[in-house]
Amino acid sequence: MNMHSNTAFLKEMGITEWTSRDTKADMTSEAPEIAKAITAPPASAIAIDRSPAALWWFFGNPPQGDTELLFQGIVRALGLSPQEWLWKNPSDAVEVEALMQTGIPMVALAFGGSVAQKLSGERDALPQLRETVLAFMEEGAQELPLIATFELNHLVSRPKDKALFWQDVLLAKSVLQNT
């Protein structure tokens, strides 16, 4: 395809000017104009410290290797910023009362049946705990909704269960939207 036909296609798409990356164009004459066009955003736009819209707590064994990559993908798919999620070990104390007073909606996802049992006090196996909004067993944390789902290791070894995992995530999202 030659340069002329590329230009014709681009003009049909509404793009009027095009330069090939293969050729080195002399852009020194355009540099001052580009510098003038770029302006710094106002200081108020930079200094905004917005609080998170919601807070996700993830409970389970710390992800490593493939499970860490999977977890990073989950966080990206949910569109969560670092201020919007926390990873907690099941043995960590749950200090919910102070966070609940901020008014920020929160939800907890328990990775694995044993983690969900420990946090909720339930004795049922994971299949019975899934698709249910559980309550924390710990005093003062009963208001925090808890969703049981598969361990990350399980999802890595059985990719077909990711669809079921996503149902659990959607349940958690709906809980957040209704709070």
Side-chain angles (χ1 to χ4, degrees):
M1 201 175 255
N2 65 27
M3 184 72 116
H4 178 64
S5 61
N6 284 342
T7 304
F9 287 125
L10 292 170
K11 283 185 180 179
E12 286 181 32
M13 293 188 301
I15 301 171
T16 57
E17 188 175 327
W18 181 72
T19 57
S20 175
R21 291 184 183 179
D22 298 334
T23 62
K24 293 183 178 180
D26 181 24
M27 299 192 64
T28 56
S29 62
E30 297 176 8
E33 293 173 18
I34 293 172
K36 288 178 189 173
I38 298 172
T39 59
S44 61
I46 295 173
I48 294 176
D49 182 27
R50 64 180 183 100
S51 61
L55 185 61
W56 290 69
W57 282 21
F58 299 104
F59 286 89
N61 298 322
Q64 299 173 350
D66 289 342
T67 59
E68 186 173 8
L69 293 174
L70 175 62
F71 180 70
Q72 289 171 356
I74 293 166
V75 170
R76 268 194 311 276
L78 289 170
L80 301 178
S81 70
Q83 298 83 19
E84 294 177 314
W85 65 272
L86 295 168
W87 185 272
K88 304 283 270 176
N89 285 320
S91 58
D92 291 347
V94 181
E95 301 164 3
V96 178
E97 289 184 42
L99 286 171
M100 299 277 291
Q101 292 176 1
T102 64
I104 298 172
M106 294 187 296
V107 68
L109 214 60
F111 289 105
S114 61
V115 174
Q117 290 168 345
K118 179 176 179 156
L119 296 173
S120 68
E122 298 287 335
R123 293 185 181 174
D124 294 335
L126 181 63
Q128 288 76 35
L129 296 176
R130 284 188 60 251
E131 300 180 6
T132 305
V133 180
L134 305 169
F136 272 85
M137 178 178 62
E138 194 167 317
E139 185 66 34
Q142 294 92 354
E143 300 279 326
L144 179 62
L146 176 67
I147 310 297
T149 191
F150 300 100
E151 288 185 42
L152 292 172
N153 288 331
H154 176 88
L155 296 173
V156 168
S157 64
R158 290 188 162 165
K160 290 182 179 180
D161 286 343
K162 287 181 182 177
L164 297 173
F165 165 76
W166 197 248
Q167 289 177 348
D168 298 334
V169 171
L170 292 177
L171 174 61
K173 284 183 80 164
S174 71
V175 167
L176 277 177
Q177 291 173 350
N178 293 326
T179 55

